[in-house]
Amino acid sequence: MACPLEQAMALMVTTFHKYSAKEGDKYKLSKAELKELLSKELPVFGTLEKRRDEAEFKRLMNDLDHNKDSEVDFKEYVCFLACITMGFNEFFKDDPSKHRRK
Amino acid sequence: MACPLEQAMALMVTTFHKYSAKEGDKYKLSKAELKELLSKELPVFGTLEKRRDEAEFKRLMNDLDHNKDSEVDFKEYVCFLACITMGFNEFFKDDPSKHRRK
């Protein structure tokens, strides 16, 4: 686990378990666990979303919880991170200092 | 971009562009670019796969290239990383020092 990209993936795993292990099923994020993870580990997401009120959070939880078990499992969490990463990529592509080569 | 999880996602983006910008379409990984990225940034993947011969690499490239344009775009790359991360997670779950709370 020496390369930064491998470390980045390992960090995604350990961050999930840091919160999922707090209550209930050790391998799933409850609503409270997800809220704490977002608040402490992904403040940029809160900033992007702007409104972080309860209704907004419930909508997010509902979007992430594909199998509708009221918890977010690892696969759902990774899909979420993949979506945010694609958002980061679009932002990066729009950087005026980077130009497409054709 | 202060939190480690945000930095991890940003690293996934910058690693992609570090290689995708080398030749051809700046926003897609050619076969040669993907090979270099795997070799330099994901040696653990090579280790897990064990056989890294040309046929094995062609099969991987074919698996990743969902839209069959002979290149790997950012979405395909992120799906690949998500799959590896899920593999890391299974490994983590199997750690005998971690026990499921029921």
Side-chain angles (χ1 to χ4, degrees):
Chain A
M1 282 291 165
C3 290
L5 190 58
E6 291 170 2
Q7 288 175 339
M9 289 186 287
L11 183 89
M12 287 180 170
V13 174
T14 54
T15 300
F16 178 86
H17 291 282
K18 180 176 164 188
Y19 293 89
S20 71
K22 292 198 174 194
E23 63 176 23
D25 190 327
K26 190 176 174 176
Y27 296 119
K28 290 181 179 177
L29 291 167
S30 68
K31 198 175 152 186
E33 288 165 343
L34 174 66
K35 190 177 268 185
E36 191 180 354
L37 188 155
L38 286 179
S39 155
K40 293 188 178 165
E41 310 290 344
L42 286 172
V44 70
F45 185 73
T47 309
L48 291 172
E49 283 289 297
K50 285 187 181 156
R51 293 176 304 141
R52 275 196 292 180
D53 59 16
E54 192 58 27
E56 188 74 15
F57 176 75
K58 274 186 183 164
R59 199 168 61 83
L60 172 67
M61 178 81 191
N62 192 51
D63 288 347
L64 297 185
D65 180 22
H66 298 156
N67 65 359
K68 305 302 172 200
D69 66 350
S70 299
E71 295 197 287
V72 171
D73 63 26
F74 192 79
K75 190 177 175 185
E76 291 161 346
Y77 160 81
V78 166
C79 286
F80 175 52
L81 295 189
C83 287
I84 299 177
T85 307
M86 282 190 266
F88 279 3
N89 183 52
E90 288 305 312
F91 180 80
F92 185 86
K93 279 169 77 173
D94 290 342
D95 183 336
S97 70
K98 319 281 176 197
H99 294 290
R100 181 184 286 268
R101 288 185 308 186
K102 282 288 179 188
Chain B
M1 283 291 166
C3 290
L5 189 58
E6 291 169 3
Q7 287 175 339
M9 290 186 287
L11 183 88
M12 288 179 170
V13 174
T14 54
T15 301
F16 178 87
H17 291 282
K18 180 177 163 188
Y19 294 89
S20 71
K22 291 196 174 195
E23 64 177 22
D25 190 326
K26 190 177 174 177
Y27 297 118
K28 291 182 179 178
L29 291 168
S30 68
K31 199 175 152 184
E33 288 166 342
L34 175 65
K35 191 177 268 186
E36 190 179 355
L37 187 156
L38 287 178
S39 156
K40 293 188 179 167
E41 311 290 343
L42 286 172
V44 72
F45 184 74
T47 309
L48 289 173
E49 284 289 299
K50 286 188 179 154
R51 292 177 305 142
R52 274 195 293 179
D53 60 16
E54 192 58 26
E56 188 75 14
F57 177 74
K58 273 186 183 164
R59 199 168 62 83
L60 172 67
M61 179 81 190
N62 193 52
D63 287 347
L64 297 185
D65 180 21
H66 298 157
N67 65 358
K68 304 302 172 199
D69 66 350
S70 299
E71 295 197 286
V72 172
D73 63 25
F74 191 80
K75 190 178 173 183
E76 291 161 346
Y77 160 81
V78 166
C79 286
F80 174 52
L81 296 189
C83 287
I84 300 177
T85 307
M86 283 190 266
F88 280 1
N89 183 53
E90 288 305 312
F91 180 80
F92 184 86
K93 279 169 77 173
D94 290 341
D95 183 336
S97 70
K98 319 281 177 197
H99 294 291
R100 180 184 286 266
R101 287 185 308 185
K102 279 291 177 188

